[in-house]
Amino acid sequence: MLIQDKSKLALTKAIKNKEERGWECAAPIAYKDGFYFVKMIFQRKPLKEQV
């Protein structure tokens, strides 16, 4: 999944929101063509860790 936003603060909030749902950043935040963006991957935790 690729998340992008013109504001780095808004992107950081979106990343934090996704991390609470089991997503992880696959790369650091990058800036290109007026947008900040980050690639995220889904890391499902075993049921024991979710409890």
Side-chain angles (χ1 to χ4, degrees), residues 1-2 5 8 11-12 14 16-17 21 23-25 29 35 38-40 45 47 49 51:
M1 170 185 278
L2 188 67
D5 202 305
K8 191 171 186 178
L11 181 65
T12 305
K16 200 177 257 191
N17 188 17
R21 291 177 168 82
W23 289 81
E24 263 185 32
C25 289
I29 295 174
F35 283 95
V38 67
K39 184 177 181 183
M40 299 192 80
K45 296 179 182 173
L47 285 175
E49 293 181 18
V51 177

Side-chain angles (χ1 to χ4, degrees), residues 4 7-9 11 13-14 20-22 26 36 40 46-47 50-51:
Q4 70 177 15
S7 165
K8 191 171 186 178
L9 179 62
L11 181 65
K13 287 181 181 179
E20 290 173 1
R21 291 177 168 82
Y36 290 97
M40 299 192 80
L47 285 175
Q50 288 180 358
V51 177

